[in-house]
Amino acid sequence: MDSTCELIIDSLKDEPIGETDHFIWFITDIGIVALFKKDENFETYSSSVEIEANIIALDISKEEKDYLKIKERRLFLFYS
């Protein structure tokens, strides 16, 4: 596992900054993580992530977005 993945996994041990219908949100050293809550259709998550970020007062509209799967956990990473 590379250092980016290790940083993300370590950050998931911290208190989340919020929770929405499909995601648990975390702050990491490299950006914001939206951890998938369930194993639903990828398109469902992708289409709702920005809407749900706004619910907890996060503006991720100008951030880069990467999809990652780390140790069977699926997530979006948002970074500048």
Side-chain angles (χ1 to χ4, degrees):
M1 182 170 19
D2 67 21
S3 60
T4 300
C5 293
E6 288 178 20
L7 281 171
I8 292 170
I9 291 298
D10 286 345
S11 296
L12 299 181
K13 297 172 187 170
D14 296 337
E15 189 72 26
I17 59 169
E19 190 169 331
T20 57
D21 289 341
H22 294 98
F23 303 99
I24 303 171
W25 298 85
F26 295 89
I27 296 291
T28 73
D29 290 338
I30 55 177
I32 297 169
V33 166
L35 178 66
F36 292 26
K37 285 176 137 180
K38 300 175 188 161
D39 193 23
E40 291 183 27
N41 186 316
F42 174 81
E43 287 78 22
T44 301
Y45 284 97
S46 187
S47 65
S48 65
V49 69
E50 287 190 38
I51 296 165
E52 293 189 32
N54 286 329
I55 292 170
I56 60 168
L58 291 174
D59 181 7
I60 56 173
S61 61
K62 295 179 181 164
E63 303 295 320
E64 296 291 326
K65 176 173 86 171
D66 284 340
Y67 168 76
L68 301 169
K69 187 171 182 179
I70 306 169
K71 292 187 174 183
E72 301 305 315
R73 296 178 179 185
R74 298 180 337 154
L75 56 94
F76 288 118
L77 173 63
F78 296 92
Y79 60 93
S80 298

